[in-house]
Amino acid sequence: MTSKSPVWHPFTQHAIAPEAIAVARASGAYLETIDGRLILDAISSWWVVTHGHCHPRIVAAVKEQAERLDQVIFAGFTHEPAERLAEALVALTPEPLTRVFYSDSGSTAVEVALKMALGYWRNIGSPRPHIVALEHAYHGDTIGTMSAGARGVFNAAYEPLLFDVKRLPFPEEGREQATLDAFEAVCRAGGVAALIVEPLVLGAGGMLMWPAATLAQLRRICDQYDVLLIADEVMTGWGRTGTLFACEQAGIVPDILCLAKGITGGHLPLAATLCAERIFDAHYSMDRSKTFYHSSSYTANPIACTAAVANIEVWREEAVLARVQALCEMQEQHVARLSANTVFRNARRTGTIAAIDVDVDDQGYLAQIGPALYEELIARGVLLRPLGNTVYVMPPYCITSDQLDVLYAALVNGVERVLAGVRS
Ligand SMILES: *Cc1c(COP(=O)(O)O)cnc(C)c1O
C-alpha cells in the first residue's frame, strides 16, 4: 500500500502497516478521529500523557505563555518558566540532586546523563571509560542511547557505530543475586563511570519488572566502588509506578536522574537531566575546557517549561497520587483476573502498569500476534500497542473503572479472536 502522504512514520513498516489514523482532537482518555470515531488511549499516547489529554490547567498555561515569550536562546539568557521549573524539580527530588540541565526528549536526557558521567570523571582527573547497563534495557534511539540499550532488530543496521557497554543480566525473579554479582565483578575490574538503569520496569524491553530491593543493592555497590548511578525515569517517572518517581520505592537517590515523557503531562516535548552537586562542581572551573559542551536549539523552550510547571501544579493541587493509587488497585484486580486465563502467561503489575504475555510459540518483538492484535483492538476502539507477544496497559490516570472494564473486555476478546485466527 503506497500512501499519498509524504510522512515517514516512526517504528512503522509502511509496506504492511495499515493507513495512519488521523486524529482531530483528544480529551481525557480518548482520541477522536477526523471521522468522529472515539479511541480509548490505553497506552497514554506512547507513555507521555499522564493526567489525561488536554488537561485544562496545562492548556490554559500554555496558551498564556505562547503570547508572551515563545523561544529564547538559553546560553547567556534565562526566563521565569525555566527558573521556576528547575526550582520545583529540585524541591520534588531528594538531596543531592541540585542541578537541572534541560533538553527536549528522553533520548537527549540520557545522552546528557552519559556525557555528564564521563565529563565528571575526566574533569576530576581520573577518566573512566565504561558504562554499565542492564540486559533488555531501552534508553532511546540516538546512537549513544542505542549503545546503552539492548541490541536487537531495532539497531542491527547501526551496530558498527554503537559503542560497547558492560551488560548485566536482567534481575529475573529468584536470580537477582546473579545481577548483583555481575555488577560487583565489573566494578572490581575498574574503569566504570556509571551504571544506567530503568528503575523497577524495563519499558520497551517488554515491560519487564524487577524489585526495588535489587535497585537498593545496586545503589549500595555503586557507593562501595564510587560508581555513578544514572536513573532513566523517562518512562517510570511522574507516577507510573505508583510513586512520583520509581527510585523512591527503593529508598535511593541516583546521582543523575533523567526525566522526560510525563514532565509536561504529555503536552509538549521537554526533558530534564538532574544531577548531584559534585557533578556540576566538576565542570565548574576557570578552565573553559571543563565546560559542559551540550545544547539543543530549543533547550528549555519557555512554552514547554510552562507546561511542566503547570503539570507540577496539577500534581500538587489535585491529589494525583490518590488517583494513581486508585488506578493501581483497579489494575491489580484486572491482572488477577488475567492470571486465571490460560491464554496469558506472566500477568504482572508495577504501579499503574499492567502487562501479560500471550501464550504463543512465536515470541519476541516481531511476533505476528502484535500487529494482528493491534488492528483487532483498534477496530474495537481501543489503542494498545503490543511489544511482540507482550500486551501492556498503561492508561492516563483519569481513566475510570468503567472505561478500564471496557478496555480489558476488548483485550481478552481481541486476543481470543486473534488466536483463533492465528491457529486456524
Ligand atoms: C521513551 C524512553 C526513552 C526515550 O525517550 P524519547 O523522548 O522517545 O527520546 C528513554 N528511556 C526510556 C526508559 C524510555 O521509555
Side-chain angles (χ1 to χ4, degrees):
M1 180 193 328
T2 318
S3 153
K4 284 198 293 287
S5 165
V7 175
W8 191 344
H9 289 267
F11 272 65
T12 300
Q13 179 42 270
H14 280 272
I16 45 183
E19 200 77 46
I21 298 165
V23 174
R25 53 178 61 83
S27 172
Y30 283 96
L31 307 173
E32 186 184 330
T33 65
I34 52 169
D35 46 9
R37 218 153 50 92
L38 290 180
I39 298 175
L40 187 56
D41 187 355
I43 60 163
S44 299
S45 277
W46 247 349
W47 321 349
V48 299
V49 174
T50 46
H51 313 293
H53 285 274
C54 292
H55 189 289
R57 177 155 194 162
I58 303 176
V59 171
V62 162
K63 270 187 183 166
E64 212 231 344
Q65 180 60 38
E67 291 186 341
R68 196 180 352 201
L69 174 63
D70 50 355
Q71 163 68 13
V72 61
I73 179 174
F74 205 60
F77 289 82
T78 193
H79 48 80
E80 195 190 331
E83 295 294 336
R84 280 185 63 197
L85 177 58
E87 277 167 25
L89 289 172
V90 169
L92 278 176
T93 52
E95 290 271 340
L97 298 171
T98 49
R99 299 284 169 173
V100 178
F101 193 94
Y102 289 114
S103 61
D104 33 39
S105 72
S107 298
T108 52
V110 173
E111 293 280 353
V112 163
L114 298 174
K115 287 173 70 173
M116 278 180 177
L118 263 79
Y120 169 78
W121 292 111
R122 184 173 191 272
N123 284 354
I124 67 165
S126 59
R128 294 187 180 190
H130 302 307
I131 296 293
V132 183
L134 286 179
E135 181 191 14
H136 306 304
Y138 176 82
H139 296 291
D141 281 336
T142 54
I143 299 293
T145 58
M146 276 193 296
S147 298
R151 304 302 150 89
V153 64
F154 309 111
N155 47 43
Y158 326 114
E159 183 74 37
L161 294 183
L162 304 185
F163 55 78
D164 272 337
V165 304
K166 308 279 178 194
R167 194 76 60 188
L168 306 181
F170 175 73
E172 248 168 73
E173 202 179 337
R175 305 209 16 228
E176 296 89 350
Q177 193 57 44
T179 308
L180 300 175
D181 292 346
F183 185 43
E184 194 140 14
V186 168
C187 289
R188 218 176 292 122
V192 178
L195 166 69
I196 180 167
V197 297
E198 294 158 85
L200 307 192
V201 185
L202 273 58
M207 294 301 154
L208 303 175
M209 300 173 184
W210 59 291
T214 306
L215 177 56
Q217 296 277 31
L218 289 171
R219 170 78 266 188
R220 190 187 51 76
I221 299 170
C222 285
D223 288 341
Q224 191 180 338
Y225 292 90
D226 197 19
V227 165
L228 299 174
L229 177 62
I230 303 172
D232 176 357
E233 291 232 29
V234 169
M235 185 278 277
T236 55
W238 306 103
R240 285 293 173 203
T241 67
T243 45
L244 181 59
F245 301 116
C247 283
E248 294 168 27
Q249 294 178 45
I252 61 122
V253 187
D255 302 287
I256 304 178
L257 172 66
C258 304
L259 301 175
K261 291 195 171 124
I263 193 172
T264 60
H267 283 246
L268 286 166
L270 182 74
T273 306
L274 278 71
C275 73
E277 192 67 14
R278 68 164 165 156
I279 295 171
F280 178 80
D281 272 349
H283 292 82
Y284 187 88
S285 169
M286 298 305 285
D287 176 356
R288 292 180 61 199
S289 74
K290 289 189 173 180
T291 304
F292 187 54
Y293 288 112
H294 190 97
S295 168
S296 45
S297 312
Y298 285 97
T299 301
N301 171 264
I303 306 172
C305 287
T306 298
V309 169
N311 169 48
I312 292 171
E313 285 167 356
V314 170
W315 268 91
R316 285 214 185 99
E317 288 161 32
E318 287 188 18
V320 178
L321 262 185
R323 203 178 296 149
V324 163
Q325 279 309 317
L327 177 55
C328 291
E329 281 158 33
M330 293 191 279
Q331 287 281 63
E332 183 60 30
Q333 288 168 14
H334 285 289
V335 166
R337 235 166 273 146
L338 293 183
S339 357
N341 187 328
T342 53
V343 301
F344 300 124
R345 272 185 297 110
N346 204 9
R348 55 196 183 274
R349 179 187 71 89
T350 297
T352 70
I353 308 166
I356 36 125
D357 303 333
V358 181
D359 195 5
V360 282
D361 294 335
D362 178 25
Q363 296 184 3
Y365 183 78
L366 295 181
Q368 288 300 330
I369 189 158
L373 190 53
Y374 172 82
E375 285 191 55
E376 178 69 32
L377 286 160
I378 286 288
R380 293 164 186 264
V382 175
L383 166 56
L384 283 168
R385 203 169 189 281
L387 293 157
N389 63 315
T390 297
V391 186
Y392 66 91
V393 177
M394 196 194 292
Y397 309 148
C398 66
I399 197 165
T400 64
S401 157
D402 288 350
Q403 289 164 351
L404 262 189
D405 289 345
V406 168
L407 189 169
Y408 278 96
L411 194 167
V412 172
N413 294 337
V415 168
E416 281 167 1
R417 177 75 190 277
V418 167
L419 284 178
V422 166
R423 282 174 183 161
S424 64

